[in-house]
Amino acid sequence: MATINNQATLTFSSGGSTVEVASNKASVTLQGPLTISKRSLETSYQLDNTIVYTVEVKNTSTASLQNVTVKDDLGTYNITATAKVTPLTYVGPAQRFENGTHVGAVTATVDSTKTFVTFSIGTVAAGSTEIILYKVKTNNYAKGATGSTIISTA
């Protein structure tokens, strides 16, 4: 959580002099109105498999939130000090559910390096839960040894 510190300054002129007085400091802690969780519907994978993920976004505030986006990495990892590879390929389309009701496709944009996919949800109503359901495919960079894992976080 972030803390915002604020202090006001009052400046005025009196009798030819300029006086500046600082107020007391006020602090507030910013509570996130959104919570997010991600899970895979599969418990294991093989090369060239499809994996289905769900991302759940909850608006815990009493106000609608606009321009909400979710950025999800596709499991990029280092193979050397300077080289990275990405084991998952977004295959879309992503679907959106609002409070359990399917509302259609959600806009998804994959970055130019193909390491992230960003979902544009738009407005999330007060107290509502949005779920994004989408597919990725394991590619040649998915670790193929038994017991390997792919770490992909939203």
Side-chain angles (χ1 to χ4, degrees), residues 90-116:
Y90 173 75
V91 293
Q95 298 298 313
R96 178 178 170 194
F97 296 81
E98 184 176 328
N99 296 321
T101 302
H102 181 252
V103 294
V106 62
T107 302
T109 306
V110 178
D111 71 310
S112 62
T113 61
K114 298 186 181 350
T115 58
F116 288 94

PDB file of all heavy atoms in Angstrom, residues 90-116:
ATOM      1  N   TYR A  90       0.190 -16.268 -26.734  1.00  0.00           N
ATOM      2  CA  TYR A  90      -1.235 -15.956 -26.605  1.00  0.00           C
ATOM      3  C   TYR A  90      -1.944 -16.370 -27.888  1.00  0.00           C
ATOM      4  O   TYR A  90      -1.511 -16.032 -28.983  1.00  0.00           O
ATOM      5  CB  TYR A  90      -1.427 -14.455 -26.339  1.00  0.00           C
ATOM      6  CG  TYR A  90      -2.873 -14.031 -26.362  1.00  0.00           C
ATOM      7  CD1 TYR A  90      -3.705 -14.336 -25.290  1.00  0.00           C
ATOM      8  CD2 TYR A  90      -3.401 -13.357 -27.448  1.00  0.00           C
ATOM      9  CE1 TYR A  90      -5.036 -13.965 -25.312  1.00  0.00           C
ATOM     10  CE2 TYR A  90      -4.728 -12.977 -27.472  1.00  0.00           C
ATOM     11  CZ  TYR A  90      -5.549 -13.293 -26.399  1.00  0.00           C
ATOM     12  OH  TYR A  90      -6.868 -12.934 -26.430  1.00  0.00           O
ATOM     13  N   VAL A  91      -3.060 -17.114 -27.745  1.00  0.00           N
ATOM     14  CA  VAL A  91      -3.803 -17.552 -28.924  1.00  0.00           C
ATOM     15  C   VAL A  91      -5.211 -16.974 -28.994  1.00  0.00           C
ATOM     16  O   VAL A  91      -5.843 -17.040 -30.033  1.00  0.00           O
ATOM     17  CB  VAL A  91      -3.853 -19.100 -29.047  1.00  0.00           C
ATOM     18  CG1 VAL A  91      -2.474 -19.642 -29.316  1.00  0.00           C
ATOM     19  CG2 VAL A  91      -4.455 -19.747 -27.820  1.00  0.00           C
ATOM     20  N   GLY A  92      -5.724 -16.419 -27.910  1.00  0.00           N
ATOM     21  CA  GLY A  92      -7.007 -15.726 -27.921  1.00  0.00           C
ATOM     22  C   GLY A  92      -8.118 -16.508 -28.596  1.00  0.00           C
ATOM     23  O   GLY A  92      -7.909 -17.627 -29.026  1.00  0.00           O
ATOM     24  N   PRO A  93      -9.291 -15.949 -28.747  1.00  0.00           N
ATOM     25  CA  PRO A  93      -9.667 -14.654 -28.178  1.00  0.00           C
ATOM     26  C   PRO A  93      -9.991 -14.793 -26.691  1.00  0.00           C
ATOM     27  O   PRO A  93     -10.365 -15.869 -26.224  1.00  0.00           O
ATOM     28  CB  PRO A  93     -10.923 -14.275 -28.968  1.00  0.00           C
ATOM     29  CG  PRO A  93     -11.561 -15.594 -29.290  1.00  0.00           C
ATOM     30  CD  PRO A  93     -10.405 -16.545 -29.503  1.00  0.00           C
ATOM     31  N   ALA A  94      -9.855 -13.706 -25.977  1.00  0.00           N
ATOM     32  CA  ALA A  94     -10.180 -13.689 -24.553  1.00  0.00           C
ATOM     33  C   ALA A  94     -11.663 -13.370 -24.387  1.00  0.00           C
ATOM     34  O   ALA A  94     -12.235 -12.600 -25.152  1.00  0.00           O
ATOM     35  CB  ALA A  94      -9.338 -12.643 -23.834  1.00  0.00           C
ATOM     36  N   GLN A  95     -12.263 -13.967 -23.368  1.00  0.00           N
ATOM     37  CA  GLN A  95     -13.677 -13.743 -23.083  1.00  0.00           C
ATOM     38  C   GLN A  95     -13.816 -13.074 -21.723  1.00  0.00           C
ATOM     39  O   GLN A  95     -13.032 -13.320 -20.813  1.00  0.00           O
ATOM     40  CB  GLN A  95     -14.452 -15.064 -23.104  1.00  0.00           C
ATOM     41  CG  GLN A  95     -14.420 -15.760 -24.455  1.00  0.00           C
ATOM     42  CD  GLN A  95     -15.062 -14.926 -25.542  1.00  0.00           C
ATOM     43  OE1 GLN A  95     -16.151 -14.387 -25.376  1.00  0.00           O
ATOM     44  NE2 GLN A  95     -14.365 -14.809 -26.674  1.00  0.00           N
ATOM     45  N   ARG A  96     -14.838 -12.253 -21.599  1.00  0.00           N
ATOM     46  CA  ARG A  96     -15.075 -11.493 -20.363  1.00  0.00           C
ATOM     47  C   ARG A  96     -16.405 -11.903 -19.745  1.00  0.00           C
ATOM     48  O   ARG A  96     -17.402 -12.043 -20.443  1.00  0.00           O
ATOM     49  CB  ARG A  96     -15.089  -9.998 -20.680  1.00  0.00           C
ATOM     50  CG  ARG A  96     -15.367  -9.118 -19.484  1.00  0.00           C
ATOM     51  CD  ARG A  96     -15.320  -7.663 -19.888  1.00  0.00           C
ATOM     52  NE  ARG A  96     -15.806  -6.815 -18.812  1.00  0.00           N
ATOM     53  CZ  ARG A  96     -16.125  -5.554 -18.959  1.00  0.00           C
ATOM     54  NH1 ARG A  96     -16.001  -4.970 -20.128  1.00  0.00           N
ATOM     55  NH2 ARG A  96     -16.566  -4.852 -17.940  1.00  0.00           N
ATOM     56  N   PHE A  97     -16.368 -12.068 -18.427  1.00  0.00           N
ATOM     57  CA  PHE A  97     -17.562 -12.380 -17.652  1.00  0.00           C
ATOM     58  C   PHE A  97     -17.703 -11.321 -16.569  1.00  0.00           C
ATOM     59  O   PHE A  97     -16.731 -10.979 -15.902  1.00  0.00           O
ATOM     60  CB  PHE A  97     -17.444 -13.764 -17.007  1.00  0.00           C
ATOM     61  CG  PHE A  97     -17.361 -14.881 -18.017  1.00  0.00           C
ATOM     62  CD1 PHE A  97     -16.154 -15.192 -18.634  1.00  0.00           C
ATOM     63  CD2 PHE A  97     -18.492 -15.600 -18.354  1.00  0.00           C
ATOM     64  CE1 PHE A  97     -16.078 -16.201 -19.564  1.00  0.00           C
ATOM     65  CE2 PHE A  97     -18.429 -16.625 -19.284  1.00  0.00           C
ATOM     66  CZ  PHE A  97     -17.212 -16.924 -19.896  1.00  0.00           C
ATOM     67  N   GLU A  98     -18.910 -10.796 -16.407  1.00  0.00           N
ATOM     68  CA  GLU A  98     -19.176  -9.806 -15.373  1.00  0.00           C
ATOM     69  C   GLU A  98     -20.183 -10.404 -14.400  1.00  0.00           C
ATOM     70  O   GLU A  98     -21.302 -10.740 -14.785  1.00  0.00           O
ATOM     71  CB  GLU A  98     -19.735  -8.524 -15.978  1.00  0.00           C
ATOM     72  CG  GLU A  98     -19.942  -7.418 -14.963  1.00  0.00           C
ATOM     73  CD  GLU A  98     -20.398  -6.121 -15.611  1.00  0.00           C
ATOM     74  OE1 GLU A  98     -20.004  -5.850 -16.751  1.00  0.00           O
ATOM     75  OE2 GLU A  98     -21.142  -5.390 -14.955  1.00  0.00           O
ATOM     76  N   ASN A  99     -19.741 -10.582 -13.157  1.00  0.00           N
ATOM     77  CA  ASN A  99     -20.573 -11.195 -12.116  1.00  0.00           C
ATOM     78  C   ASN A  99     -21.182 -12.510 -12.596  1.00  0.00           C
ATOM     79  O   ASN A  99     -22.348 -12.806 -12.363  1.00  0.00           O
ATOM     80  CB  ASN A  99     -21.661 -10.234 -11.643  1.00  0.00           C
ATOM     81  CG  ASN A  99     -21.079  -9.011 -10.979  1.00  0.00           C
ATOM     82  OD1 ASN A  99     -20.100  -9.102 -10.234  1.00  0.00           O
ATOM     83  ND2 ASN A  99     -21.636  -7.851 -11.261  1.00  0.00           N
ATOM     84  N   GLY A 100     -20.362 -13.300 -13.306  1.00  0.00           N
ATOM     85  CA  GLY A 100     -20.773 -14.622 -13.753  1.00  0.00           C
ATOM     86  C   GLY A 100     -21.487 -14.672 -15.091  1.00  0.00           C
ATOM     87  O   GLY A 100     -21.767 -15.751 -15.604  1.00  0.00           O
ATOM     88  N   THR A 101     -21.800 -13.532 -15.682  1.00  0.00           N
ATOM     89  CA  THR A 101     -22.504 -13.491 -16.963  1.00  0.00           C
ATOM     90  C   THR A 101     -21.534 -13.159 -18.094  1.00  0.00           C
ATOM     91  O   THR A 101     -20.798 -12.167 -18.004  1.00  0.00           O
ATOM     92  CB  THR A 101     -23.631 -12.430 -16.927  1.00  0.00           C
ATOM     93  OG1 THR A 101     -24.528 -12.758 -15.866  1.00  0.00           O
ATOM     94  CG2 THR A 101     -24.384 -12.390 -18.239  1.00  0.00           C
ATOM     95  N   HIS A 102     -21.550 -13.973 -19.135  1.00  0.00           N
ATOM     96  CA  HIS A 102     -20.677 -13.736 -20.282  1.00  0.00           C
ATOM     97  C   HIS A 102     -21.119 -12.464 -20.987  1.00  0.00           C
ATOM     98  O   HIS A 102     -22.275 -12.315 -21.345  1.00  0.00           O
ATOM     99  CB  HIS A 102     -20.736 -14.924 -21.243  1.00  0.00           C
ATOM    100  CG  HIS A 102     -19.846 -14.772 -22.422  1.00  0.00           C
ATOM    101  ND1 HIS A 102     -20.316 -14.523 -23.684  1.00  0.00           N
ATOM    102  CD2 HIS A 102     -18.490 -14.818 -22.521  1.00  0.00           C
ATOM    103  CE1 HIS A 102     -19.301 -14.437 -24.516  1.00  0.00           C
ATOM    104  NE2 HIS A 102     -18.176 -14.611 -23.841  1.00  0.00           N
ATOM    105  N   VAL A 103     -20.176 -11.528 -21.187  1.00  0.00           N
ATOM    106  CA  VAL A 103     -20.508 -10.260 -21.843  1.00  0.00           C
ATOM    107  C   VAL A 103     -19.785 -10.097 -23.178  1.00  0.00           C
ATOM    108  O   VAL A 103     -19.946  -9.074 -23.832  1.00  0.00           O
ATOM    109  CB  VAL A 103     -20.241  -9.040 -20.926  1.00  0.00           C
ATOM    110  CG1 VAL A 103     -21.181  -9.049 -19.736  1.00  0.00           C
ATOM    111  CG2 VAL A 103     -18.789  -8.998 -20.472  1.00  0.00           C
ATOM    112  N   GLY A 104     -18.987 -11.101 -23.593  1.00  0.00           N
ATOM    113  CA  GLY A 104     -18.339 -11.046 -24.899  1.00  0.00           C
ATOM    114  C   GLY A 104     -16.832 -11.062 -24.821  1.00  0.00           C
ATOM    115  O   GLY A 104     -16.236 -11.286 -23.768  1.00  0.00           O
ATOM    116  N   ALA A 105     -16.249 -10.824 -25.984  1.00  0.00           N
ATOM    117  CA  ALA A 105     -14.787 -10.819 -26.075  1.00  0.00           C
ATOM    118  C   ALA A 105     -14.227  -9.563 -25.423  1.00  0.00           C
ATOM    119  O   ALA A 105     -14.891  -8.534 -25.354  1.00  0.00           O
ATOM    120  CB  ALA A 105     -14.359 -10.890 -27.535  1.00  0.00           C
ATOM    121  N   VAL A 106     -13.007  -9.680 -24.931  1.00  0.00           N
ATOM    122  CA  VAL A 106     -12.298  -8.539 -24.363  1.00  0.00           C
ATOM    123  C   VAL A 106     -11.098  -8.245 -25.265  1.00  0.00           C
ATOM    124  O   VAL A 106     -10.483  -9.170 -25.804  1.00  0.00           O
ATOM    125  CB  VAL A 106     -11.861  -8.799 -22.896  1.00  0.00           C
ATOM    126  CG1 VAL A 106     -10.900  -9.947 -22.791  1.00  0.00           C
ATOM    127  CG2 VAL A 106     -11.270  -7.564 -22.256  1.00  0.00           C
ATOM    128  N   THR A 107     -10.810  -6.978 -25.471  1.00  0.00           N
ATOM    129  CA  THR A 107      -9.693  -6.585 -26.326  1.00  0.00           C
ATOM    130  C   THR A 107      -8.373  -6.993 -25.684  1.00  0.00           C
ATOM    131  O   THR A 107      -8.118  -6.683 -24.521  1.00  0.00           O
ATOM    132  CB  THR A 107      -9.712  -5.064 -26.565  1.00  0.00           C
ATOM    133  OG1 THR A 107     -10.959  -4.724 -27.162  1.00  0.00           O
ATOM    134  CG2 THR A 107      -8.571  -4.634 -27.463  1.00  0.00           C
ATOM    135  N   ALA A 108      -7.562  -7.712 -26.447  1.00  0.00           N
ATOM    136  CA  ALA A 108      -6.253  -8.149 -25.968  1.00  0.00           C
ATOM    137  C   ALA A 108      -5.192  -7.652 -26.942  1.00  0.00           C
ATOM    138  O   ALA A 108      -5.365  -7.748 -28.155  1.00  0.00           O
ATOM    139  CB  ALA A 108      -6.200  -9.660 -25.869  1.00  0.00           C
ATOM    140  N   THR A 109      -4.095  -7.121 -26.396  1.00  0.00           N
ATOM    141  CA  THR A 109      -2.993  -6.629 -27.211  1.00  0.00           C
ATOM    142  C   THR A 109      -1.708  -7.281 -26.735  1.00  0.00           C
ATOM    143  O   THR A 109      -1.377  -7.217 -25.544  1.00  0.00           O
ATOM    144  CB  THR A 109      -2.867  -5.097 -27.076  1.00  0.00           C
ATOM    145  OG1 THR A 109      -4.124  -4.506 -27.387  1.00  0.00           O
ATOM    146  CG2 THR A 109      -1.802  -4.553 -28.003  1.00  0.00           C
ATOM    147  N   VAL A 110      -0.995  -7.917 -27.650  1.00  0.00           N
ATOM    148  CA  VAL A 110       0.299  -8.517 -27.326  1.00  0.00           C
ATOM    149  C   VAL A 110       1.376  -7.501 -27.692  1.00  0.00           C
ATOM    150  O   VAL A 110       1.332  -6.917 -28.777  1.00  0.00           O
ATOM    151  CB  VAL A 110       0.504  -9.836 -28.095  1.00  0.00           C
ATOM    152  CG1 VAL A 110       1.877 -10.432 -27.788  1.00  0.00           C
ATOM    153  CG2 VAL A 110      -0.594 -10.837 -27.751  1.00  0.00           C
ATOM    154  N   ASP A 111       2.337  -7.278 -26.779  1.00  0.00           N
ATOM    155  CA  ASP A 111       3.381  -6.288 -27.044  1.00  0.00           C
ATOM    156  C   ASP A 111       4.291  -6.762 -28.170  1.00  0.00           C
ATOM    157  O   ASP A 111       4.270  -7.931 -28.559  1.00  0.00           O
ATOM    158  CB  ASP A 111       4.179  -5.987 -25.771  1.00  0.00           C
ATOM    159  CG  ASP A 111       5.064  -7.142 -25.352  1.00  0.00           C
ATOM    160  OD1 ASP A 111       4.576  -8.288 -25.275  1.00  0.00           O
ATOM    161  OD2 ASP A 111       6.253  -6.910 -25.113  1.00  0.00           O
ATOM    162  N   SER A 112       5.094  -5.860 -28.692  1.00  0.00           N
ATOM    163  CA  SER A 112       5.926  -6.158 -29.862  1.00  0.00           C
ATOM    164  C   SER A 112       6.953  -7.259 -29.608  1.00  0.00           C
ATOM    165  O   SER A 112       7.364  -7.952 -30.544  1.00  0.00           O
ATOM    166  CB  SER A 112       6.636  -4.896 -30.349  1.00  0.00           C
ATOM    167  OG  SER A 112       7.498  -4.410 -29.341  1.00  0.00           O
ATOM    168  N   THR A 113       7.367  -7.455 -28.361  1.00  0.00           N
ATOM    169  CA  THR A 113       8.332  -8.510 -28.051  1.00  0.00           C
ATOM    170  C   THR A 113       7.643  -9.830 -27.693  1.00  0.00           C
ATOM    171  O   THR A 113       8.312 -10.811 -27.404  1.00  0.00           O
ATOM    172  CB  THR A 113       9.255  -8.089 -26.891  1.00  0.00           C
ATOM    173  OG1 THR A 113       8.454  -7.865 -25.724  1.00  0.00           O
ATOM    174  CG2 THR A 113      10.046  -6.843 -27.229  1.00  0.00           C
ATOM    175  N   LYS A 114       6.323  -9.830 -27.698  1.00  0.00           N
ATOM    176  CA  LYS A 114       5.502 -11.013 -27.411  1.00  0.00           C
ATOM    177  C   LYS A 114       5.757 -11.589 -26.018  1.00  0.00           C
ATOM    178  O   LYS A 114       5.681 -12.789 -25.803  1.00  0.00           O
ATOM    179  CB  LYS A 114       5.687 -12.077 -28.486  1.00  0.00           C
ATOM    180  CG  LYS A 114       5.259 -11.610 -29.868  1.00  0.00           C
ATOM    181  CD  LYS A 114       5.315 -12.712 -30.866  1.00  0.00           C
ATOM    182  CE  LYS A 114       4.933 -12.384 -32.260  1.00  0.00           C
ATOM    183  NZ  LYS A 114       4.347 -11.206 -32.667  1.00  0.00           N
ATOM    184  N   THR A 115       6.061 -10.696 -25.062  1.00  0.00           N
ATOM    185  CA  THR A 115       6.297 -11.143 -23.692  1.00  0.00           C
ATOM    186  C   THR A 115       5.129 -10.830 -22.756  1.00  0.00           C
ATOM    187  O   THR A 115       5.065 -11.376 -21.662  1.00  0.00           O
ATOM    188  CB  THR A 115       7.582 -10.512 -23.116  1.00  0.00           C
ATOM    189  OG1 THR A 115       7.462  -9.096 -23.173  1.00  0.00           O
ATOM    190  CG2 THR A 115       8.803 -10.951 -23.889  1.00  0.00           C
ATOM    191  N   PHE A 116       4.232  -9.936 -23.169  1.00  0.00           N
ATOM    192  CA  PHE A 116       3.076  -9.552 -22.363  1.00  0.00           C
ATOM    193  C   PHE A 116       1.828  -9.512 -23.223  1.00  0.00           C
ATOM    194  O   PHE A 116       1.894  -9.208 -24.410  1.00  0.00           O
ATOM    195  CB  PHE A 116       3.259  -8.150 -21.751  1.00  0.00           C
ATOM    196  CG  PHE A 116       4.260  -8.089 -20.652  1.00  0.00           C
ATOM    197  CD1 PHE A 116       5.571  -7.743 -20.917  1.00  0.00           C
ATOM    198  CD2 PHE A 116       3.896  -8.370 -19.346  1.00  0.00           C
ATOM    199  CE1 PHE A 116       6.505  -7.687 -19.908  1.00  0.00           C
ATOM    200  CE2 PHE A 116       4.824  -8.315 -18.332  1.00  0.00           C
ATOM    201  CZ  PHE A 116       6.134  -7.976 -18.605  1.00  0.00           C
TER     202      PHE A 116
END
